[in-house]
Amino acid sequence: AKPNKRITYLVGNHDADLFFQKVRERIIKEWDPEAESGSSGGKVTIIADRDHIRLEGGVDVYHGNQFEAMHILNFSKPLLESGLSKPVLNIPWGSFYILKIVNRMKWERDYLDKVRPLKVLLLVGAISDPWFIIRYVFLSIYYFLKTRFVYSPKRRSSFKVTMDIFKQEVAFFMDLERNARKLLDQDPELKTVIIGHTHKPISKGYPDGKQYINTGTWTKMVHLDLRSIGQQSCPTFALIKIRDGHALCDLRYWVGEHSPHRVFSN
C-alpha cells in the first residue's frame, strides 16, 4: 500500500498453481485491489513464463528449483491437456513425491522436510529410528518406480529426466553453488546470482569479483552438514542497491523493528 513499492513474484516448485491465469488474477487482486484485470497489475507482477529475472547491474534472480531434476517445472508447457477432460498442472516428480509421501509421513515425524541434507538423516535414522526409515525408503523407491516408469496422461516422465533424478539423489551432497558458478562463467555481463530453494543461507564472493547469494529460509531448519550443524532459524534476505547501472548485493539478517537488519556472515 505504500508508494513506490512493488512485488515481483517468481513461480517455484511449491506454487505451480500460479500457472493457471485465474489463480494469478485472484492473488494479484487480493494483494493489489486497485490492479486492472490480468496476470500483472500496477504494483504486482507474477512471472510464470520463465525461471528467472535479470536486474540492472548484472544480477540474476532464480527460485532455484530448475537446477534439480526432480523439481524442474516446464515453463513452455505448464499444463497437460491431451486426452484429458480438463487441463491439469504439469508438475514435476518432486511435487508428486511431496504430496504422496512426505506430507503423509510428516504426521509421524514432523521434522521430515526440515532436515538437510536428507541423506544424512537417513544414515542417522537407520540407527536411531530404523523402522520409520525403512518404511520411508521403501515407499520412496516404490513411488519412484511407479510414477517414473508407468505411463499416466496426468504426468510426463522422460527417461533422461528419470536418470538425472537418480544421479542427483544418489549424490551425497547437493549444492547449487556449482550451478551458480557455471552461470557466472558463461555470461561475462553477469555479476551476481541469487538463488533460494535449498533453504541454506550463503553469501560468497569470488576472486574475479563475482558473487553467489542463497537467500535461505525463515523456516526453522535442522542442518546435519558439519559446516552448519544444528537447528537454525535465519530470517535472511538479499538486499540489492542499484545506482547508475551498478548493483551492490549482500545477504542481510532481519533483526527487528528498531534495527531492521544487518549483514549476514556465513
Side-chain angles (χ1 to χ4, degrees), residues 4 14 19 35 57 67 90 94 107 123 125 130 138 158 164 174 205 226 237 241 258 262:
N4 302 319
H14 287 291
F19 283 127
F67 300 116
N90 185 13
W107 287 101
L123 290 176
F138 175 80
S158 71
D164 288 341
M174 179 73 182
L226 291 177
F237 64 97
K241 296 179 180 179
H258 297 291
R262 57 180 170 79

Side-chain angles (χ1 to χ4, degrees), residues 174-190:
M174 179 73 182
D175 193 338
L176 298 188
E177 183 181 346
R178 290 184 179 180
N179 303 90
R181 185 65 244 191
K182 184 177 180 181
L183 292 172
L184 291 168
D185 290 338
Q186 290 175 341
D187 187 348
E189 296 184 359
L190 183 60

Side-chain angles (χ1 to χ4, degrees), residues 34 48 65 110 166 170 174 176 186 190 199 217:
E34 297 180 0
N65 59 292
D110 61 356
F166 180 76
V170 297
M174 179 73 182
L176 298 188
Q186 290 175 341
L190 183 60
H199 297 180
T217 179

